[in-house]
Amino acid sequence: MPSYTVTVTTGSQWFAGTDDYIYLTLIGSKGCSEKHLLDKAFYNDFERGAIDSYDITESEDIGDVQLLKLEKHKYWYKDDWYCRHITVKTPSGDYLEFPCYSWITNDKEVVLREGKAKLSRDDVTQLLKQHRRKELQERQKLYRWKEWHPGFPLSIDAHSYHDLPHDIQFDSEKGVDFILNYTKAMENLFVNSFMHMFQSSWNDFADFEKIFVRISNTISEYVMQHWQEDFMFGYQFLNGCNPVMITKCKQIPANFPVTNEMVECSLERNLTLEQEIEKGNIFIVDYHLLDGISANKTDPCTIQHIAAPICLLYKNLENKIVPIAIQLNQEPGPENPIFLPSDAHYDWLLAKIWVRSSDFHVHQTVSHLLRSHLLSEVFAIAMFRQLPAVHPVFKLLIPHVRFTIAINTKAREQLICECGLFDKANATGGGGHVELLLRAMKYFTYESLCFPEAIRMRGMENTEEIPYYFYRDDGLKVWDATVNFVRDVVNVYYASDQTICEDEELQAFLKDVFVYGLRDNKESGFPKTIKTKDKLIEYLTLVIFTASSQHAAVNFGQYDWCSWIPNSPPTMRKPPPTEKGVVTIEFIIESLPDRGRSCWHLGAVWALSQFQDNEIFLGYYPDEHFVEKSVKEAMVKLRKNLEEITSFIQDRNKNKKLPYYYMSPDRIPNSVAV
């Protein structure tokens, strides 16, 4: 009589184990096994983190095992179970892997496929085709599109976090409660005594140290000491937490009438402004997206303000990027002067503060929320809806959407909703962030999300002309490593372009992203269909890079660069100056956030800069969705490449006062989860 050994691995997260009855049925090419209760006498089966083995004997030959059915029946009370995977040793001595990596809830049955990735064309039996179809039908009922706000990318249809399928919820909800985390951050930073002091201004710049000094951090302390200096202002456009705005200037915009006479004392090469532009030494940052955005009116006691500045920057003889002209709004005129380094100290300082505040708004809503969080959720929903677990692209992408739908759902509940935490400290709260995101959708393109192309579009690709752009340098290395890994995986399963064209599930995934997730926006340039291997490799690299590396670059530096409030004010309480020579230190302090808003801001940037407790970093795949040796070898190769990049970055950062490590692979989580 044929006998099998079944080894079951239970997850190690909290409450993963179960006391319920677990039954197993093997489904083979010649028939089904009996339904076996997996239970050992005088033994506590399926404990958290346990690996349990069971010998089962069949009276008849069931042929090649194709599917494995698990059933859970209640023993006493509701007791969900997280099954990682099951290994079956067949009578011939072969080992079959059945990845599960999901919660089995209530009295539910789960049917698992053997772990080798298969395209739909590879399934020849009706049994496997039917299993594939049924899985997607069930998923499409669970993962539904919904419009959270008109004009936004579509998101998950869930009224609250608890409506989400258990499989995509956090292991512990505590870790993702924004209100709890922000409050805890303020307590840890010893600033909670200030958190309710709205309308109460600080006395001077030094007074901000009362909420800053509790944490010793190299970069944030360096920012505090040097934030007023022009080199520090310029450096942040290259390697701060929003290094995606700076563009090489080809010509001065018509609405920014900077003349050679205005800036000639800042130019160091005895060239005119026009000649410096031709030499590639002039750069520009334009916050036109903020023009006309409504300022936060949720607190009638505090009038808040938003500007839409344009900033001209210059690469000096030391190869440092420094500001040489700032206009605080888009429409030129006598009440919108162009501020210069040669102006009075406080005039120039306040102009730079306004640029930093504007950068904060665009960073939070566009670079961070739209271009990493919301986009990654679109990919995640489309993946669950259109790709079965056996599909190679599902197996490739699943680690890179871990907890993304959950964190975004929590954000919609607590952070960016009406009267949410975003309204407490930010000038774009109370609806301005919605206007800003809708405006940014017009510039949201596929091309701008492909990292090398995004760098080229801004004219920032030349490493000799712009030598200290570490975001670019490290990002290109990680992009290339990701491209090579994706190519290795794609080549295993897609023999030709024809195979891609014929993969209906893949094409349905692409269509779901474009038609539903991105609202059929043809201007976005996202493909509705893909016909070549090269294009598929680029697309999947974009998905993985956006969720991992790009999010890391714009997220985890927030405490470093934004914790010193004057360097990154989340709101301004006075309007931009309309003339020169009137700004005083008192006016600047009255313009900066009050004590209460400063504390909420500090709690936010601290909480957002922390890794998850169980973070999984780029290149590591503890959940073995792939069982093929060729893919596992590709993973080893990827890790080796990433380790070399990490070592290079560590060597470069040695003895640097301002190390850049946000694109270091050992600090890049696999997915958007915070």
Side-chain angles (χ1 to χ4, degrees), residues 219-231:
I219 293 180
S220 59
E221 283 189 342
Y222 196 84
V223 170
M224 179 190 73
Q225 292 159 359
H226 298 278
W227 71 280
Q228 297 189 40
E229 298 169 30
D230 286 354
F231 97 88

Side-chain angles (χ1 to χ4, degrees), residues 304-363:
Q304 300 180 57
H305 300 273
I306 294 171
I310 310 173
C311 178
L312 204 64
L313 299 132
Y314 174 62
K315 185 186 75 172
N316 65 19
L317 289 172
E318 295 178 331
N319 281 329
K320 289 178 178 174
I321 303 289
V322 293
I324 58 172
I326 295 171
Q327 180 179 286
L328 294 181
N329 278 302
Q330 294 287 305
E331 190 66 38
E335 293 193 346
N336 187 20
I338 295 174
F339 291 94
L340 307 166
S342 54
D343 290 340
H345 174 71
Y346 289 128
D347 281 357
W348 181 236
L349 181 61
L350 182 58
K352 290 189 291 181
I353 289 172
W354 267 107
V355 173
R356 294 296 310 139
S357 183
S358 302
D359 192 74
F360 176 82
H361 299 316
V362 172
H363 165 256

Side-chain angles (χ1 to χ4, degrees), residues 409-427:
T409 304
K410 267 293 185 186
R412 285 187 285 269
E413 266 188 271
Q414 296 182 330
L415 197 60
I416 57 173
C417 56
E418 196 173 341
C419 303
L421 289 172
F422 202 81
D423 290 356
K424 279 193 177 293
N426 297 308

Side-chain angles (χ1 to χ4, degrees), residues 8-9 74 79 105 115 378 397 431 458 483 528 542 565:
V8 182
T9 303
K74 192 158 74 172
D79 194 14
T105 58
V378 165
L397 297 186
R458 294 188 288 112
V483 166
K528 191 175 177 179
L542 181 154
I565 308 293

Side-chain angles (χ1 to χ4, degrees), residues 38 158 222 426 490 501:
L38 301 182
Y222 196 84
N426 297 308
V490 166
C501 296

